[in-house]
Amino acid sequence: MKDVTDLHAEFGGERLPPGQRKTSRFPVLSKGGTPSVDDPTLEVWGAVEEPLTLSLPDLEALGAERQRQDFHCVTGWSRFDCEFRGVPFPRLAERAGVADDAVHVMFHAHDGYTTDLPLSECDREEVLFAWELDGEPLPADHGGPLRVVTPHKYAYKGAKWVSGVEFLTEPERGYWEKRGYSVDANPWKERRYA
Ligand SMILES: Nc1nc2c(c(=O)[nH]1)N[C@H]1C(S)=C(S)[C@@H](COP(=O)(O)O)O[C@H]1N2
Ligand SMILES: [Mo]
């Protein structure tokens, strides 16, 4: 299994980011209820050569892998050693063929949630479209059947119940980013609020 729990070194910080406390629980944080998603398909559109509609088997076929990752919530808790299985963002970007003028990405979710990141900050091996947690299908409360995880950012950058990935030629703001949360969301720099 690929272990990316050392990625704090890239950001010059300790494994536990400043102002965070470690928990062994896995709290659920959602802006509303848990939507039911029977048939997960992921739409990919915007500044790409080929818009895609991908099923879970399609995602699997792009090259799924298991990764050990830490999970940092902006409200102050961190859960170490989450084992997610999914497909890394770069596999999907390669498949869609990202246009030269794409600079930013918006993730869309079934509960109406959105979140945005610069393309360079989500085109990373540890950004996963994940459907398994700790060897089990991803629980619905945690975003099952399909979510994004962003261990190098606060977890609001990882859309649960993800429905779409939109490549943008100009930055736009997601749900929490419009409401004052940081676009950067770097836990080691404590970029919590804009
Ligand atoms: N679709 C969707 N994704 C979401 C959210 C949400 O409300 N809806 N909340 C975000 C926030 S603020 C956090 S901290 C994490 C929480 O993930 P968890 O419930 O698995 O702990 O999901 C993020 N992704
Ligand atoms: Mo959060």
Side-chain angles (χ1 to χ4, degrees):
M1 183 175 343
K2 188 185 281 180
D3 189 328
V4 300
T5 59
D6 59 355
L7 70 79
H8 56 91
E10 179 184 337
F11 301 99
E14 301 290 316
R15 184 168 178 193
L16 187 67
Q20 296 290 109
R21 61 189 180 280
K22 206 181 145 197
T23 175
S24 52
R25 296 170 50 241
F26 197 170
V28 169
L29 268 147
S30 307
K31 70 177 181 66
T34 294
S36 71
V37 184
D38 301 329
D39 176 29
T41 52
L42 186 68
E43 301 285 339
V44 183
W45 77 94
V48 291
E49 285 160 21
E50 191 191 348
L52 304 170
T53 302
L54 301 167
S55 64
L56 280 190
D58 293 336
L59 287 169
E60 178 88 54
L62 290 179
E65 57 183 61
R66 215 178 279 279
Q67 290 189 12
R68 179 172 299 123
Q69 307 191 338
D70 295 341
F71 190 101
H72 308 295
C73 177
V74 71
T75 62
W77 53 266
S78 293
R79 184 186 193 252
F80 284 3
D81 298 317
C82 304
E83 293 180 9
F84 287 107
R85 182 157 190 281
V87 64
F89 187 99
R91 300 294 92 70
L92 180 131
E94 284 155 16
R95 175 72 175 75
V98 179
D100 290 342
D101 57 352
V103 293
H104 213 80
V105 174
M106 186 72 75
F107 297 90
H108 298 260
H110 286 284
D111 60 344
Y113 189 79
T114 52
T115 185
D116 69 283
L117 274 175
L119 175 58
S120 59
E121 294 185 26
C122 53
D123 198 19
R124 295 174 55 107
E125 291 296 320
E126 72 276 11
V127 175
L128 296 179
F129 296 89
W131 53 85
E132 260 183 49
L133 169 64
D134 298 339
E136 304 284 344
L138 185 64
D141 285 351
H142 287 299
L146 184 67
R147 79 170 298 166
V148 180
V149 286
T150 56
H152 62 321
K153 299 290 183 184
Y154 289 122
Y156 63 90
K157 293 294 177 180
K160 304 198 282 187
W161 318 292
V162 63
S163 59
V165 186
E166 180 184 9
F167 289 82
L168 300 167
T169 55
E170 280 174 29
E172 289 177 25
R173 294 297 166 244
Y175 182 87
W176 284 122
E177 291 85 358
K178 278 182 193 160
R179 289 164 175 79
Y181 280 79
S182 166
V183 175
D184 180 27
N186 181 325
W188 295 279
K189 294 187 174 145
E190 281 205 86
R191 295 279 156 73
R192 299 176 197 268
Y193 308 104

